[in-house]
Amino acid sequence: MKLRGRSPQKTKVAIQYANAKAHNLNAKTVSVIRLKVSVACIAILALVFYRCIGESTRLDIVSNRTRNPNNPFALAPGELPGYTGWARPEQTIAGYFQITSSSHTAHQSSKYHSIINRGERYELLLTCIHDDSATYACPESGTLFYVRAYGPSVITGNVIDYFNSSYLIELHPIDTGEYTVEVVVTFSAPLELHEFPLNWNTTTNTEEEEPGYEGYLVSGFPLSIFVQSAEALPTKKQHWCGLSQLTEQSPISSLNVGHWQIIDHVARSNHNPLTPDDTGVSLDGYRMSLNSLGVRMQYVYEDCELMRISDIVGSANEGTSHVMGRCLHHLGFLDDPNAFHRYTYDESRSTSPHVAVLDVIFIGDSVMKLEMGFFIKLLGGSDIVNCTFIETNGGLQYTLSRISKELTSKSQRTNKRVVMFNSGLHDIDILCSSKRKRTRNQTTAVSCVDSYQDQFKQLVGFIEAYPADLKVFRTTTAGWPKVRFYR
C-alpha cells in the first residue's frame, strides 16, 4: 500500500533561514542567529556589545571550566519525556527501518550498542525495507525524523537523506558517560511546505486533512552508547563568546558549537532545593525547570563561554562594575563605568534624570517579550539603556503596518540603536494551518511559503532602512516535537 500523502521531495531547511537566504540579506546587516531560548537574554549582551567582547576579549575576563567526566546528574534511560499523549495516526513506517551499519561497535557481551571516544562523530545508517507482504511501501526519500541522545547532556542529531530509502544519522557527543539514543519518525511521507495551505473543497466547504504527527520510535531504538575518554580532561581557560560564536550562517552548524549539559536533577540525593518552598509549585520553579522536567541544564559552547549572571551584574564584594557599564565606557558613552547603576528607573519620576544612551528594540512574539523582560532584569534597573517591544503576534499580515509606524516614531531619537527581530511561528500557523482558513480570508490559492516570503521581505525592508547600529535576526529555536508540526 502506498503511504497516504504526496511524493515527498527533500525537505526544505527551516523556513526563516531559507527565506533569509533567498532574499540575499546583507550578512553584516542582518545576522542569522541561533540562540537557545534560555540563554538568549545573556547572549544578546555579547551581541549588543560585540565590539568590546570580541575575539581579543578586551575586558580580559576568562573562566576556568573543568568538564566533569562522571556527571552525578546524568539522565538515565526513560528520564527525558518523549511522546506526550497527542493523538497519532495508525499509519507509520517506523517499524520498517533497520540499522544496516554503524560507525562504532561494542563487545558482544557489552550492554552498550556502541562505545565511542569523546569528540568522535557517531553515525548510524537506517534503511527502510519492505517486501510484498508489507502494508506500506517505503518511500525513496523525504521521511522526517527527530534524533536526540541524552545522558550527561542532551544533544540533537543531523539526518542526511540518501534518496534510496536510506538515511544517515549523525550525533556528536562531547561529555563522557552513558547516553540513550532515540530516533523517531515524525512524518513518514510529509508534504512540502509550499503545498500549504491544502486545497479547499468548495462542495463540502472543507479543506484537505493535514497529515498527523506520528512520533513513533524507529525499530531498534532506544539504544545505549557509551562515550569514553582515553585521557584526563584538562581545565580549560575560556574567553567570553563573541559575535563569531553567537552567529550562524548555516542551519546545521550550531549542532557542533555547543550542547546542553545537565547540571542538576531533583531526583538525585545531592540536589539542593532552590525555591523558597520546595513542597509547592512556583513560577521560578517552572523557569528553572524544577517543577516540570525536574532537570536543569546549561548551554556549553566548545571554544568559548557565555557570560554568567554574576559577570554581568558585577559584584560589590569583588569591586567589579556591571558589564554594561564597562562596555559603554569602552565605547565612549560613559566617562565612568561605575556610573551605570547611578541612574536607575523610578516610577515616581515623570522624566529620567539621565538620557538613555542606547535603545534596544525587540520585535517578535511572546517568546521575544519574555527575553526582553529578563534582559531588563539583567540591566539591574538602570535606565541608561532603553528597551522597547514591538509585538508580531497574529502574524505579519496584521502587524506590518504597526511595526513600520512604531519604528518610524523611534527613529527620531539620537541614541545608538540595536534591533533584534523574529517572525515565523505565528505566520506559519496563520498562513498554513487548516484551522486558519477563515482567519486568512483568502479567496485565491496562494502558497503559505510565498505569502510568508512576501511579508517577511517587507519586514526586512523596514529594518534595513531603519537607522540602527546592529540588526539581528533571531531564528526560531527548534524544540522537542509535542504536537503536529503543521499546526
Side-chain angles (χ1 to χ4, degrees):
M1 180 187 298
K2 185 178 179 180
L3 286 169
R4 184 173 177 273
R6 305 177 191 180
S7 299
Q9 304 294 325
K10 185 165 180 66
T11 307
K12 290 182 175 64
V13 296
I15 187 170
Q16 295 94 335
Y17 182 84
N19 281 288
K21 185 176 181 181
H23 298 325
N24 193 27
L25 302 179
N26 186 331
K28 293 182 180 180
T29 303
V30 182
S31 300
V32 179
I33 309 300
R34 179 169 295 277
L35 302 175
K36 303 301 184 288
V37 171
S38 62
V39 302
C41 303
I42 296 177
I44 189 177
L45 284 168
L47 287 168
V48 171
F49 295 104
Y50 69 96
R51 285 172 56 188
C52 54
I53 310 174
E55 308 308 324
S56 61
T57 314
R58 300 177 187 174
L59 295 183
D60 298 324
I61 293 182
V62 297
S63 67
N64 295 324
R65 186 177 75 203
T66 304
R67 297 188 185 277
N68 186 351
N70 299 302
N71 189 338
F73 302 112
L75 295 171
E79 281 198 303
L80 192 62
Y83 169 59
T84 59
W86 188 266
R88 300 184 288 183
E90 187 178 1
Q91 173 187 281
T92 184
I93 59 171
Y96 290 36
F97 284 95
Q98 295 181 16
I99 301 174
T100 50
S101 69
S102 173
S103 61
H104 296 74
T105 59
H107 191 273
Q108 189 173 4
S109 61
S110 174
K111 70 173 185 177
Y112 301 111
H113 179 275
S114 302
I115 297 177
I116 69 175
N117 292 322
R118 173 185 173 272
E120 292 180 342
R121 193 173 302 278
Y122 180 54
E123 298 179 346
L124 294 168
L125 184 66
L126 301 183
T127 304
C128 186
I129 301 173
H130 72 275
D131 54 28
D132 294 338
S133 64
T135 304
Y136 308 114
C138 293
E140 290 186 356
S141 66
T143 300
L144 297 181
F145 302 85
Y146 182 73
V147 181
R148 73 178 185 183
Y150 61 88
S153 56
V154 179
I155 57 176
T156 55
N158 186 40
V159 180
I160 299 176
D161 189 340
Y162 283 162
F163 295 91
N164 60 358
S165 299
S166 295
Y167 303 83
L168 184 68
I169 308 298
E170 297 179 327
L171 289 163
H172 189 220
I174 299 298
D175 297 325
T176 58
E178 180 179 341
Y179 288 81
T180 299
V181 179
E182 297 177 344
V183 177
V184 170
V185 172
T186 57
F187 293 95
S188 295
L191 303 180
E192 286 279 3
L193 284 175
H194 67 75
E195 297 182 76
F196 290 89
L198 301 183
N199 295 325
W200 186 263
N201 189 321
T202 56
T203 303
T204 61
N205 202 33
T206 58
E207 193 173 41
E208 182 182 341
E209 185 179 355
E210 296 173 352
Y213 169 75
E214 298 166 28
Y216 293 102
L217 277 168
V218 169
S219 297
F221 293 90
L223 56 82
S224 294
I225 65 171
F226 188 80
V227 178
Q228 62 183 7
S229 179
E231 55 186 21
L233 301 178
T235 297
K236 299 178 66 176
K237 285 191 174 182
Q238 301 280 43
H239 292 282
W240 278 354
C241 297
L243 191 67
S244 62
Q245 288 98 351
L246 296 174
T247 56
E248 298 293 340
Q249 303 299 330
S250 162
I252 64 171
S253 58
S254 61
L255 296 176
N256 301 318
V257 299
H259 63 284
W260 286 103
Q261 187 179 72
I262 310 297
I263 60 172
D264 196 6
H265 197 318
V266 299
R268 299 293 185 268
S269 60
N270 50 354
H271 166 72
N272 294 314
L274 298 174
T275 56
D277 181 9
D278 58 349
T279 64
V281 174
S282 65
L283 179 59
D284 285 340
Y286 269 109
R287 285 173 173 168
M288 290 186 287
S289 193
L290 298 172
N291 296 145
S292 52
L293 289 178
V295 173
R296 289 197 304 134
M297 294 180 275
Q298 67 178 357
Y299 194 73
V300 179
Y301 279 82
E302 300 311 313
D303 58 354
C304 65
E305 185 168 352
L306 286 171
M307 290 181 286
R308 297 179 297 266
I309 292 178
S310 59
D311 294 325
I312 296 170
V313 301
S315 171
N317 293 333
E318 297 177 2
T320 58
S321 57
H322 194 290
V323 69
M324 191 75 77
R326 282 178 279 167
C327 281
L328 291 173
H329 171 69
H330 176 79
L331 296 174
F333 293 116
L334 288 178
D335 294 332
D336 180 3
N338 295 308
F340 183 79
H341 275 309
R342 294 176 191 166
Y343 307 100
T344 57
Y345 179 73
D346 185 346
E347 293 182 351
S348 64
R349 299 196 308 260
S350 58
T351 59
S352 171
H354 189 83
V355 178
V357 298
L358 178 70
D359 285 333
V360 181
I361 303 171
F362 296 81
I363 303 174
D365 57 17
S366 57
V367 175
M368 186 72 81
K369 188 174 184 178
L370 288 172
E371 291 182 7
M372 185 188 74
F374 189 63
F375 178 73
I376 291 174
K377 288 184 177 181
L378 292 178
L379 298 180
S382 176
D383 60 3
I384 287 182
V385 178
N386 181 60
C387 296
T388 303
F389 175 66
I390 302 177
E391 187 177 64
T392 61
N393 287 29
L396 289 176
Q397 63 176 332
Y398 299 111
T399 59
L400 273 173
S401 59
R402 186 176 74 247
I403 293 171
S404 176
K405 183 178 180 180
E406 293 193 38
L407 282 176
T408 301
S409 68
K410 291 173 176 55
S411 63
Q412 307 304 319
R413 299 174 181 171
T414 59
N415 301 344
K416 293 287 185 179
R417 285 180 287 271
V418 173
V419 177
M420 175 171 278
F421 70 105
N422 163 263
S423 186
L425 287 179
H426 287 268
D427 302 282
I428 292 173
D429 178 39
I430 290 173
L431 298 173
C432 302
S433 173
S434 298
K435 293 181 178 181
R436 296 289 192 166
K437 168 64 180 178
R438 290 178 174 79
T439 305
R440 285 190 291 270
N441 193 25
Q442 193 168 284
T443 57
T444 58
V446 180
S447 164
C448 64
V449 174
D450 292 339
S451 297
Y452 171 76
Q453 179 173 304
D454 291 341
Q455 295 167 14
F456 184 70
K457 187 175 182 179
Q458 293 181 58
L459 174 63
V460 172
F462 294 156
I463 294 175
E464 282 189 320
Y466 183 69
D469 298 87
L470 179 65
K471 304 164 187 179
V472 179
F473 176 66
R474 165 76 156 84
T475 61
T476 300
T477 302
W480 299 326
K482 298 180 179 179
V483 298
R484 304 181 186 186
F485 282 167
Y486 295 135
R487 296 191 180 183

